[in-house]
Amino acid sequence: MASTATVAAPHAPAVHHKEPTGLWSWITTVDHKRIGIMYGVTAFLWFLIAGVEALMIRVQLFVPNNHFVSAETYNSLFTMHALTMIFGALMPLTAAFFNFIVPLQIGARDVAFPRLNALSYWLFLFGSLFLNFGWLLKAAPDSGWFAYAPITTMAYSPGMHMDFYVLGLQVLGLSSIIASLNFIITIINLRAPGMRLMRMPIFTWMTLITSVLIVTAMAVFTIAVTELMFDRLFGTNFFNTVSEGADPLLWQHLFWMFGHPEVYILIIPIMGMISEVLPTFSRKPLFGYNVMVFSGVLIGWLGWGVWSHHMFATGMGPIADSFFSLSTMLIAIPTGIKIFNWLGTLYGGSIRFTTALLFSVAFIAMFTIGGISGVMHSSAPSDLQQSDTYFIVAHIHYVFFGGTVLGLWSALYYWYPKVFGRLLDERLGQFHFWGTLIGMNLTFFPMHFVGMFGMPRRTWTYGPEQGFTAYNQLETIGAFIIALATLAFAVNLFTAWKRGRIAGPNPWGAATLEWSIPSPPPAYNFREIPVVHSRMPLWEDDPTKQGGIPHGRVEEETDEVTIAGRQVAAVRDVRDENKMSAHDLGIHLPPPSFWPIVLAAGISAIFIGLIFRQVPDTSPWHNAWYLMFAGVATTMLSIYAWAFEPGH
């Protein structure tokens, strides 16, 4: 028998209380679903901007001795491309799924702290805008995303370039830590009755592991950028002068203690996403669920012990090199287990090659290529040969683009119907998939060769006699193919939102709780909190029974939704339920609040005001740094009003 509450057609009340609409309702919302959408839209826009920066880099390198952009602008382009892609696009895109999907998967009405959730979004928005504001002043960060000190101290990086880095990333880091603490508490405390830890959906498990990584790794990075800020703005000496006590390797240790876990922060959620997609379109339970969970935990744990493999070239010595070589090689074991289990899930399944599944399968292949080149770097002699060459650029893009981006697109095709109630167009999706896959391999695979031939990364240009021209031209053509495919994707997202085919509650016949409620979900998520008796509550309590697993595409082409052979909902009834507000059903939800955006503005003003200390004393703008005290006052007022706000 089915093991959870199903969607029941509600009794319509005499008068409906409408859910709030309009711009103000979005500014003051504390609903995790709306916040998830805001994260997703904002991050996708940053993804497009970072993509344009990448295209400008590729145009510059299309021919030798090119002067499409200056060397100074090129430095800012590759720095901001990495910062915007990592902190503005990829991390927030995973956060969008955390926000929208996780509370639904665990049967909760919202996250544990809805207003903190809103605060984390507004901090992300203000921090990312401030980080990119340097472009308007021709002072964007220009020393690489790793910002190695002492190169980035005031003596070697004068001007405001790196001030935007240290101040902007502190705001973004605060946003990530707040959001992650919220998700840890939500997942531990708000699971539906019966949902034990080992009954949690695999995506929720990976979200929990990622959140722990973010809290711990971001704390280290926040300390590092705060010390760098004090060096630059107040003359301290954490990284400046070795003869006066500074340590030239301190920054690298602190940065990579964040930087390498950051790789897993960007890839573990994707592992959870495709672990949801593969079983659904294979019509089979995930192969080796328990092992997949423990492999995720082990990857997160080992991710903390490998940071110095980024520092083999600094001369740490044979003992340190040997330790970090071995610990890096160990990570290949749980990662290989996951790849084996994904293939085991597909094997013998009733596979449907939807766009979501294609992106997941491509993720496995591309991420494996990136992982293999990563294992090559675990050997210190091999790493020394490849360090600071384009081989490293190839490796990181097979992990972040072939891994994170392809997995995110898979998840977007999979959960888009749940978010907006409409299906994305599959023909445009297939064009998007093949264009992205061909384009990324044309762009990044030649980088392995040109790197081994000696082309350094972060180089502004090269000479025709060096033999790099043909490889770079292939890479640039590939980048524009990716851009064309992404344009088709953007068109698909917009047109489907306006007039895509209506999706029922469970268009794919999936197994987890979020598919048991209407699409898009009502504000209160679940009319009644479900009771869970199985890891796959919408299939059966015994997932090995074939009768409980829907086959074929029947559910995708009918207005009726069946679970275990029994009709549980219909699109018509879903629309009726969506018209009912939480007030109609007597469900208490936290009311909207404008204090999160006010508090975020106050906190951001504290950091933004400090940038004016770098304006020359002769300028009237120099004294504007005192505006940071207005930020302190706004922050204190907001916290007081927040604490006594009625209804929360």
Side-chain angles (χ1 to χ4, degrees):
M1 58 180 294
S3 54
T4 185
T6 56
V7 181
H11 299 291
V15 179
H16 288 306
H17 292 78
K18 295 181 178 178
E19 297 294 347
T21 58
L23 179 61
W24 184 247
S25 72
W26 286 87
I27 291 174
T28 59
T29 187
V30 295
D31 183 344
H32 71 97
K33 299 180 291 299
R34 284 189 162 200
I35 292 170
I37 292 172
M38 292 195 294
Y39 261 112
V41 171
T42 309
F44 189 69
L45 291 175
W46 285 126
F47 178 84
L48 297 179
I49 290 171
V52 170
E53 291 165 348
L55 290 177
M56 294 176 71
I57 292 172
R58 291 312 322 164
V59 170
Q60 168 63 25
L61 296 175
F62 187 67
V63 294
N65 298 325
N66 198 1
H67 288 81
F68 174 69
V69 295
S70 67
E72 292 76 15
T73 303
Y74 187 86
N75 288 344
S76 290
L77 278 174
F78 73 72
T79 302
M80 288 305 297
H81 165 69
L83 292 174
T84 306
M85 197 59 90
I86 292 171
F87 295 102
L90 300 186
M91 281 183 72
L93 277 172
T94 60
F97 287 102
F98 295 171
N99 267 282
F100 201 101
I101 301 299
V102 167
L104 302 182
Q105 282 199 330
I106 63 174
R109 295 209 191 282
D110 209 315
V111 294
F113 305 108
R115 287 181 296 174
L116 275 184
N117 203 25
L119 173 66
S120 66
Y121 168 74
W122 293 114
L123 284 172
F124 154 63
L125 179 65
F126 294 151
S128 57
L129 286 172
F130 179 64
L131 183 65
N132 280 271
F133 192 74
W135 281 118
L136 301 181
L137 303 178
K138 297 182 179 179
D142 57 357
S143 297
W145 83 288
F146 38 79
Y148 283 155
I151 296 173
T152 48
T153 58
M154 193 58 76
Y156 305 102
S157 292
M160 294 190 290
H161 298 266
M162 296 313 295
D163 293 325
F164 282 104
Y165 178 97
V166 297
L167 297 171
L169 290 190
Q170 285 186 85
V171 179
L172 289 171
L174 185 60
S175 163
S176 298
I177 291 173
I178 291 173
S180 298
L181 287 171
N182 208 350
F183 284 113
I184 292 171
I185 296 167
T186 299
I187 294 170
I188 291 176
N189 285 336
L190 297 189
R191 299 192 307 278
M195 182 174 282
R196 305 167 189 161
L197 284 176
M198 295 311 285
R199 285 179 181 166
M200 284 201 311
I202 194 79
F203 175 63
T204 300
W205 252 115
M206 297 304 116
T207 301
L208 178 61
I209 296 168
T210 305
S211 299
V212 172
L213 274 178
I214 290 176
V215 169
T216 48
M218 272 293 177
V220 177
F221 185 58
T222 301
I223 291 170
V225 292
T226 301
E227 289 177 347
L228 185 56
M229 178 190 76
F230 271 82
D231 271 11
R232 291 186 58 84
L233 300 181
F234 303 108
T236 57
N237 186 39
F238 290 102
F239 311 109
N240 264 324
T241 308
V242 175
S243 61
E244 296 179 2
D247 185 340
L249 284 187
L250 175 61
W251 172 268
Q252 289 200 39
H253 280 294
L254 292 175
F255 178 83
W256 288 117
M257 285 184 76
F258 150 77
H260 198 80
E262 174 70 11
V263 175
Y264 301 106
I265 288 168
L266 291 175
I267 208 67
I268 289 177
I270 310 303
M271 292 174 168
M273 291 170 184
I274 74 160
S275 297
E276 301 285 356
V277 173
L278 294 174
T280 298
F281 295 110
S282 302
R283 301 310 194 210
K284 284 178 61 186
L286 180 66
F287 183 74
Y289 167 88
N290 292 356
V291 178
M292 292 290 273
V293 170
F294 292 125
S295 296
V297 173
L298 190 57
I299 290 172
W301 178 260
L302 289 175
W304 268 105
V306 299
W307 78 88
S308 279
H309 74 213
H310 295 272
M311 300 167 59
F312 286 147
T314 62
M316 294 184 298
I319 295 177
D321 284 0
S322 300
F323 173 83
F324 286 105
S325 288
L326 288 172
S327 61
T328 304
M329 291 176 187
L330 281 177
I331 286 193
I333 296 174
T335 306
I337 289 172
K338 280 187 175 289
I339 293 170
F340 174 78
N341 283 17
W342 289 324
L343 296 178
T345 303
L346 290 169
Y347 180 74
S350 176
I351 297 176
R352 288 215 48 228
F353 286 99
T354 61
T355 305
L357 182 76
L358 289 174
F359 271 112
S360 283
V361 173
F363 162 88
I364 298 173
M366 298 300 105
F367 178 69
T368 301
I369 294 175
I372 289 173
S373 59
V375 174
M376 294 166 66
H377 299 148
S378 68
S379 168
S382 173
D383 180 88
L384 288 173
Q385 290 290 320
Q386 297 151 5
S387 187
D388 270 342
T389 71
Y390 253 85
F391 192 95
I392 303 295
V393 182
H395 161 67
I396 196 170
H397 281 89
Y398 267 91
V399 173
F400 283 166
F401 196 99
T404 306
V405 174
L406 294 191
L408 282 168
W409 295 167
S410 173
L412 201 48
Y413 279 93
Y414 181 62
W415 276 306
Y416 187 94
K418 178 53 58 183
V419 177
F420 295 107
R422 294 177 182 272
L423 293 162
L424 285 165
D425 183 85
E426 278 291 309
R427 284 177 297 182
L428 272 175
Q430 299 272 331
F431 177 83
H432 174 217
F433 167 73
W434 289 110
T436 303
L437 186 65
I438 294 170
M440 76 150 283
N441 281 290
L442 201 56
T443 303
F444 304 122
F445 201 75
M447 290 181 183
H448 292 104
F449 299 102
V450 79
M452 294 304 291
F453 293 155
M455 182 170 176
R457 62 191 295 197
R458 300 187 287 275
T459 185
W460 170 53
T461 188
Y462 54 90
E465 73 284 358
Q466 292 178 285
F468 303 150
T469 306
Y471 292 101
N472 278 285
Q473 290 179 341
L474 278 177
E475 292 161 11
T476 302
I477 293 170
F480 276 91
I481 292 175
I482 295 174
L484 184 62
T486 305
L487 178 63
F489 182 42
V491 170
N492 199 2
L493 291 174
F494 182 75
T495 54
W497 173 58
K498 299 293 287 185
R499 56 175 184 271
R501 192 157 61 90
I502 297 291
N506 191 3
W508 312 123
T512 43
L513 276 183
E514 74 270 26
W515 302 104
S516 69
I517 57 176
S519 302
Y524 46 85
N525 295 349
F526 298 88
R527 189 179 182 189
E528 296 176 358
I529 298 299
V531 178
V532 177
H533 302 287
S534 164
R535 197 164 62 232
M536 293 175 291
L538 296 197
W539 284 357
E540 281 191 342
D541 54 346
D542 181 358
T544 61
K545 291 179 181 176
Q546 288 295 305
I549 301 176
H551 288 264
R553 63 178 68 192
V554 175
E555 282 75 15
E556 298 167 36
E557 296 182 347
T558 180
D559 289 338
E560 296 180 351
V561 178
T562 58
I563 298 173
R566 183 163 58 91
Q567 179 181 342
V568 295
V571 173
R572 183 173 52 259
D573 289 338
V574 166
R575 290 170 179 170
D576 286 343
E577 175 149 341
N578 275 343
K579 292 177 182 177
M580 300 179 71
S581 69
H583 183 275
D584 295 329
L585 298 169
I587 298 172
H588 172 72
L589 292 178
S593 173
F594 56 81
W595 288 113
I597 188 173
V598 176
L599 179 55
I603 294 172
S604 301
I606 294 172
F607 291 97
I608 293 169
L610 284 170
I611 200 82
F612 293 104
R613 279 182 62 86
Q614 300 299 69
V615 177
D617 295 351
T618 54
S619 169
W621 287 102
H622 176 74
N623 292 327
W625 76 274
Y626 290 107
L627 289 175
M628 63 174 286
F629 294 111
V632 172
T634 305
T635 300
M636 299 300 292
L637 172 66
S638 302
I639 292 174
Y640 181 84
W642 176 307
F644 293 100
E645 188 174 23
H648 286 275

